[in-house]
C-alpha cells in the first residue's frame, strides 16, 4: 500500500494498488448514470435521474489547482472553452473559466467580500432574490464554459468559500457534484501569495485556513478525493488513481501518459514546501494542526480523521480576536509598505522629485478623531480616495470625509471593513440592550 509524507510526497508507490484502484472505477459509459446523492437532492434536485457530473477542483490559490484541473482533463473531464490565458504567474495555464470567475467574484462582491477576505462568508445576509440572481449568473457561466459536457472540471479557488451554493446551483440543473481537495504546504502557499500580492505571511496563512476549512467541511457529503501537490508532481499515476473513481476510465497510457509526464514538471514548484513559517503562536499551532489533519485525509477520509480536523478548526474559532489582529497588522503593513520578504532594489529617483500632495487639514471639531484613526493604521487613504472619487473632490481630509459624509453613505475605510454590516450589528446590540459601540 502506498503512503505519503507530511509534505505529500509518495512513499514507495505500489503500482498494483494503482491498477486495483483503476479496476474498481466505473467504465466511461457508466459515469453518466451516477445519481445525485441525498445531500445534492436536498439542495435542489429531488429526483434520481441520470446526472451529468461536475468535479469541483478546490484548494487555496497557488496550491496547484491549475495543474490538477489539467490532469483531470487528461483523465477525460471537459475543460472550459473560455479558459483564462496563461500568464507569467502560471505559464502552463490556469484552466479556469473566465465567465465562472467573473460570476463567482460578483457573488462575493454582493456579499461584501472577496477571495482576499479571511472572514467567514455569510450569504444569509443576501435577499433571496439577490442570491437567486447570482446563482443564475453562475449557471449561465457554467453553460457558456462547458456547454452540455457530461463530465466537467470546474476550477476556481473562490468556490472554496461557497461550495454549498455551487452544489445547489448545479443540482438544480441536473448536474451532480464531486470534489477534489488539493493540498499544498501552507508555508509554500503563503510564500507564493506574499511574493505575488505583497501580504504578510500571517495574513496569507489565515487566507489558506479560511479556504481549506470551508472547502473541507462543505465537501464531506460529496464523493471526493484528496490529493497533494507534491505527491502529484512526484508520481502523478498515484494521484490519478485516486481521481479515477470520480472520472471513470483507466489510467492513461501511451501518448497521453507522455503528455502528462511533460506537463507535470517539477519546475511548477516555485516555493519550497518545508521552509520555516516564521509564525507566532497561537497561529503557528493552528496552521500545523489543520495541515496535519488535512494530510491525514489523503490516507483515510473517515469520521475519526474528520473529528481530529474539527478539533483543529475549533481552536481557530475559539479565538476570534486572532483574525482581527492579523487583519489589523495586514492593513498596517500595507499602509507602511513594509514586507516580510527582502525588498526589491529601488528604482532610480527622478532628477527633480515632485512635491508630495498634502492632505487638507481636519477641522478642529474632528482633529482628535482623525488623528486617532490615522494612527491606528486601519484607514487606507489611497484606497478610499480611489474608491470614492467624491471624497477626493470634497476638499476634506479623507478620514474626516469618512466620519462626516462617507460612513452615512455606507463607504468603507478599507477593503476589509464593512461599514454597513458593522452598523447593523451595533443596532441589533443596542436594541437588545447590549454593549454600546
Amino acid at each position: 500500500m502506498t503512503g505519503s509524507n507530511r509534505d505529500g510526497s509518495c512513499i514507495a508507490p505500489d503500482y498494483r494498488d494503482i491498477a486495483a484502484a483503476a479496476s474498481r472505477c466505473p467504465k466511461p459509459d457508466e459515469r453518466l448514470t451516477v445519481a445525485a446523492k441525498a445531500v445534492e437532492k436536498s439542495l435542489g434536485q429531488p429526483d434520481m435521474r441520470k446526472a451529468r457530473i461536475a468535479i469541483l477542483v478546490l484548494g487555496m490559490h497557488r496550491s496547484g489547482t491549475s495543474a490538477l484541473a489539467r490532469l483531470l482533463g487528461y483523465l477525460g473531464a471537459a475543460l472550459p472553452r473560455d479558459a483564462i490565458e496563461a500568464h507569467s504567474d502560471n505559464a502552463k495555464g490556469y484552466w479556469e473559466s473566465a465567465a465562472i470567475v467573473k460570476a463567482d467574484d460578483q457573488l462575493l462582491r454582493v456579499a461584501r467580500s472577496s477571495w482576499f477576505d479571511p472572514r467567514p462568508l455569510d450569504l444569509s445576509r443576501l435577499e433571496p432574490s439577490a442570491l437567486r440572481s447570482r446563482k443564475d449568473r453562475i449557471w449561465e457561466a457554467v453553460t457558456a464554459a462547458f456547454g452540455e459536457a457530461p463530465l466537467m472540471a470546474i476550477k476556481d479557488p473562490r468556490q472554496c468559500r461557497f461550495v454549498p451554493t455551487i452544489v445547489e446551483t448545479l443540482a438544480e440543473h441536473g448536474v451532480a457534484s464531486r470534489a477534489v481537495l488539493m493540498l499544498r504546504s501552507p508555508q509554500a502557499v503563503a510564500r507564493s501569495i506574499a511574493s505575488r500580492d505583497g501580504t504578510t505571511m500571517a495574513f496569507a496563512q489565515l487566507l489558506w485556513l479560511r479556504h481549506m476549512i470551508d472547502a473541507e467541511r462543505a465537501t464531506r457529503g460529496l464523493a471526493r478525493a484528496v490529493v497533494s501537490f507534491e505527491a502529484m508532481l512526484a508520481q502523478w499515476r498515484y494521484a490519478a488513481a485516486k481521481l479515477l473513481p470520480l472520472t471513470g476510465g483507466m489510467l492513461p497510457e501511451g501518448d497521453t501518459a507522455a503528455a502528462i509526464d511533460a506537463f507535470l514538471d517539477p519546475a511548477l514548484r516555485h516555493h519550497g514546501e518545508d521552509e520555516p513559517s516564521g509564525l507566532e503562536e497561537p497561529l503557528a499551532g493552528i496552521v500545523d494542526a489543520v495541515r496535519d489533519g488535512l494530510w491525514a485525509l489523503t490516507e483515510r477520509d473517515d469520521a475519526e480523521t474528520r473529528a481530529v480536523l474539527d478539533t483543529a478548526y475549533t481552536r481557530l474559532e475559539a479565538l476570534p480576536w486572532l483574525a482581527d489582529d492579523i487583519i489589523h497588522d495586514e492593513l498596517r503593513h500595507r499602509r507602511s509598505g513594509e514586507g516580510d520578504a527582502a525588498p526589491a532594489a529601488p528604482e532610480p529617483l527622478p532628477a527633480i522629485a515632485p512635491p508630495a500632495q498634502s492632505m487638507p487639514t481636519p477641522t478642529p471639531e474632528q482633529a482628535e478623531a482623525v488623528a486617532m484613526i490615522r494612527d491606528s493604521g486601519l484607514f487606507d487613504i489611497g484606497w478610499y480616495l480611489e474608491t470614492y472619487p467624491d471624497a477626493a473632490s470634497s476638499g476634506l481630509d479623507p478620514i474626516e470625509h469618512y466620519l462626516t459624509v462617507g460612513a452615512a453613505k455606507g463607504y468603507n475605510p478599507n477593503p476589509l471593513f464593512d461599514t454597513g454590516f458593522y452598523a447593523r450589528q451595533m443596532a441589533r446590540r443596542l436594541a437588545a440592550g447590549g454593549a454600546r459601540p
Side-chain angles (χ1 to χ4, degrees):
M1 187 63 141
T2 59
S4 63
N5 292 311
R6 191 171 66 178
D7 66 359
S9 57
C10 292
I11 301 173
D14 186 337
Y15 290 98
R16 291 171 298 180
D17 292 335
I18 298 175
S23 69
R24 293 193 297 269
C25 296
K27 298 300 184 289
D29 60 338
E30 294 175 338
R31 67 188 179 208
L32 305 185
T33 67
V34 177
K37 284 195 166 188
V39 65
E40 294 163 327
K41 292 185 291 174
S42 66
L43 290 175
Q45 187 55 50
D47 62 326
M48 291 292 287
R49 61 179 165 179
K50 294 181 180 180
R52 297 167 61 200
I53 297 173
I55 300 176
L56 307 181
V57 180
L58 302 169
M60 176 57 186
H61 300 260
R62 317 302 293 170
S63 288
T65 52
S66 299
L68 176 59
R70 186 66 188 97
L71 177 59
L72 285 166
Y74 282 120
L75 296 179
L79 296 172
R81 297 182 294 206
D82 62 337
I84 295 174
E85 293 184 4
H87 185 266
S88 58
D89 281 340
N90 207 338
K92 293 200 173 186
Y94 291 91
W95 308 104
E96 60 188 43
S97 158
I100 292 175
V101 168
K102 181 178 180 180
D104 291 344
D105 261 335
Q106 289 172 341
L107 172 61
L108 290 171
R109 192 176 301 121
V110 298
R112 307 304 290 268
S113 187
S114 69
W115 80 265
F116 207 66
D117 183 354
R119 301 171 299 171
L121 182 65
D122 182 8
L123 294 181
S124 67
R125 63 191 300 183
L126 298 181
E127 293 292 332
S129 60
L131 183 56
R132 177 73 266 159
S133 175
R134 290 303 99 212
K135 291 169 72 176
D136 289 344
R137 299 295 83 75
I138 289 172
W139 175 247
E140 289 171 3
V142 170
T143 301
F146 295 99
E148 295 296 322
L151 177 67
M152 50 194 137
I154 300 180
K155 175 246 172 180
D156 181 8
R158 295 162 185 80
Q159 293 183 355
C160 291
R161 308 292 308 285
F162 47 90
V163 171
T165 301
I166 297 298
V167 172
E168 290 172 10
T169 301
L170 294 171
E172 289 168 359
H173 297 275
V175 179
S177 296
R178 306 290 179 257
V180 185
L181 298 181
M182 176 53 117
L183 309 182
R184 189 182 180 191
S185 159
Q187 287 79 20
V189 171
R191 292 188 185 283
S192 184
I193 293 288
S195 174
R196 187 189 70 177
D197 299 321
T199 68
T200 63
M201 286 292 289
F203 187 79
Q205 299 216 29
L206 187 62
L207 287 171
W208 178 84
L209 283 170
R210 175 53 51 208
H211 281 71
M212 297 311 301
I213 290 172
D214 289 353
E216 191 281 318
R217 275 180 166 166
T219 55
R220 291 182 179 183
L222 302 177
R224 72 179 183 184
V226 185
V227 301
S228 81
F229 181 63
E230 281 297 301
M232 184 179 69
L233 291 186
Q235 181 49 268
W236 65 260
R237 289 172 178 82
Y238 174 66
K242 303 184 75 171
L243 300 174
L244 289 179
L246 307 182
T247 64
M250 303 294 289
L251 280 175
E253 298 177 352
D255 291 344
T256 301
I260 298 173
D261 283 328
F263 180 80
L264 292 177
D265 186 340
L268 291 172
R269 186 195 305 111
H270 301 297
H271 295 269
E273 307 297 308
D274 297 321
E275 297 177 21
S277 68
L279 298 180
E280 298 178 352
E281 294 296 346
L283 180 62
I286 294 171
V287 169
D288 286 348
V290 172
R291 176 201 61 201
D292 292 346
L294 289 172
W295 256 261
L297 291 176
T298 64
E299 292 299 314
R300 193 176 66 178
D301 190 354
D302 59 11
E304 181 180 348
T305 308
R306 295 174 182 184
V308 172
L309 270 170
D310 286 335
T311 300
Y313 300 161
T314 301
R315 291 174 61 183
L316 178 64
E317 292 161 354
L319 302 173
W321 56 265
L322 178 61
D324 292 342
D325 284 359
I326 293 171
I327 292 171
H328 173 270
D329 291 345
E330 175 68 15
L331 292 170
R332 290 185 67 90
H333 158 78
R334 289 182 171 273
R335 180 169 177 257
S336 67
E338 297 174 356
D340 291 330
E347 296 182 3
L349 293 174
I352 301 177
Q357 181 180 0
S358 60
M359 289 290 122
T361 302
T363 60
E365 296 82 6
Q366 299 291 340
E368 183 178 354
V370 168
M372 182 175 64
I373 294 174
R374 195 187 309 278
D375 290 343
S376 74
L378 297 176
F379 195 95
D380 190 330
I381 290 176
W383 178 86
Y384 187 82
L385 292 175
E386 181 179 355
T387 305
Y388 309 114
D390 59 312
S393 60
S394 68
L396 295 173
D397 177 274
I399 298 176
E400 182 171 5
H401 181 276
Y402 173 74
L403 291 172
T404 60
V405 180
K409 292 184 174 182
Y411 292 1
N412 299 321
N414 63 67
L416 297 178
F417 184 89
D418 187 333
T419 296
F421 178 74
Y422 176 81
R424 289 190 293 274
Q425 291 294 97
M426 289 301 102
R428 292 191 187 102
R429 292 186 186 182
L430 291 173
R436 301 187 66 83

